[in-house]
Amino acid sequence: MLKLWRWYQNCLVVHPVKTQIISSGVIWGFGDIAAQSITHLTSKNKQLQHHQEEERDFKVNWRRVATTSLFGFGFVGPVGHFWYEGLDRFLRSRLLMRPNSVRFVGAKVALDGILFGPLDLLVFFTYMGFSSGKSISQVKDDVKRDFIPALILEGGIWPIVQVANFRFVPVRYQLLYVNLFCLVDSCFLSWLEQQQDAPWKQRLNSFLQSKEN
């Protein structure tokens, strides 16, 4: 395990962008396999609750794994690499903030939550919708249904994760740290997508719309 870690560190020094892209794709692929297994278990429990005898063995949807891996390869890896490197450089050089200070970490968490977090969710839901063969109107409906609930629920978790990330993890490892937590996050997003028009989601969206009016 230690040799593997040293090999990864060396790759990160020699080929930083390529290493981030490949590792992001692999981790997101494994995350989707975990998400599929959890989705299978929850649907199985629903069948038992409704006394449905039909039971299907779990089979990995490799096409979906490939699709999710491509999201890691094509978006999370390259964009995440330049985002974390650029954010750190911007706060140090332009705003002259002292690294690891409370202000420095707080600014990183705030900017990450306001800019990168929503963008990541928007791209994820849009990409997964189009990759599954949905039309533009269907993708818009899915984004409208899932984006705000996901943003609110994740907004209570990711700031805590990112405080530890920005305070203790070196910049070159920050995307790897985030991707490892995305193993859990992909399970959550898969569960959220499975909920479709669940009552709690309808109530939340109705509440937010009433606030706007």
Side-chain angles (χ1 to χ4, degrees), residues 17 20-21 24 71-83 175:
V17 180
Q20 298 278 32
I21 290 173
S24 296
F71 177 72
F73 283 125
F75 179 79
V76 177
V79 176
H81 170 79
F82 290 110
W83 166 251
L175 181 59

Side-chain angles (χ1 to χ4, degrees), residues 132-199:
S132 62
K134 293 182 179 179
S135 65
I136 294 177
S137 60
Q138 288 175 319
V139 171
K140 285 183 178 179
D141 290 339
D142 287 351
V143 171
K144 185 178 179 180
R145 181 193 68 200
D146 294 335
F147 178 76
I148 296 299
L151 189 64
I152 292 174
L153 293 174
E154 292 203 339
I157 299 172
W158 274 106
I160 300 172
V161 172
Q162 293 292 49
V163 165
N165 188 21
F166 294 137
R167 176 64 179 84
F168 301 108
V169 180
V171 177
R172 64 180 179 275
Y173 300 128
Q174 287 178 359
L175 181 59
L176 175 64
Y177 172 92
V178 167
N179 277 330
L180 291 175
F181 274 96
C182 283
L183 283 168
V184 178
D185 191 46
S186 63
C187 295
F188 164 72
L189 292 176
S190 179
W191 171 81
L192 185 73
E193 187 179 16
Q194 186 194 23
Q195 294 290 296
Q196 296 183 357
D197 290 316

Side-chain angles (χ1 to χ4, degrees), residues 60-74:
V60 176
N61 183 343
W62 291 108
R63 180 179 178 181
R64 197 181 107 169
V65 173
T67 299
T68 308
S69 293
L70 283 174
F71 177 72
F73 283 125

